[in-house]
Amino acid sequence: MKTKLQIFEDEFRSENTREAIKGVTVVVDGYFKQVLDTILQNDKSYDGYTNLIANALARGINKNKE
């Protein structure tokens, strides 16, 4: 049941400045969902997909800095 990781980019406008802002949507489905669900079951420090994905992304960026 391997599915591709789906990430979509869109552009929004700030309500205050009308500046263009990039937004990203991550689809949590298939094998990716299974992996995230397993992590969430075993690590109660995450309160959901958003927190887990943001943390994984930050760790990856910080690891790349080393």
Side-chain angles (χ1 to χ4, degrees):
M1 170 207 291
K2 266 203 169 177
T3 53
K4 290 182 180 178
L5 178 61
Q6 296 180 64
I7 302 175
F8 302 97
E9 182 178 314
D10 207 344
E11 190 170 285
F12 301 92
R13 293 272 170 204
S14 167
E15 289 182 16
N16 297 329
T17 66
R18 303 305 298 160
E19 176 184 8
I21 300 171
K22 296 289 182 185
V24 177
T25 300
V26 178
V27 177
V28 177
D29 190 22
Y31 182 71
F32 184 53
K33 182 180 185 313
Q34 287 180 350
V35 170
L36 295 182
D37 286 345
T38 299
I39 294 169
L40 290 171
Q41 286 176 352
N42 294 320
D43 189 339
K44 300 300 180 195
S45 68
Y46 297 110
D47 59 3
Y49 296 123
T50 304
N51 183 252
L52 174 54
I53 293 169
N55 186 274
L57 182 61
R59 283 183 175 191
I61 289 170
N62 289 333
K63 177 113 177 126
N64 200 26
K65 286 181 178 179
E66 296 174 356

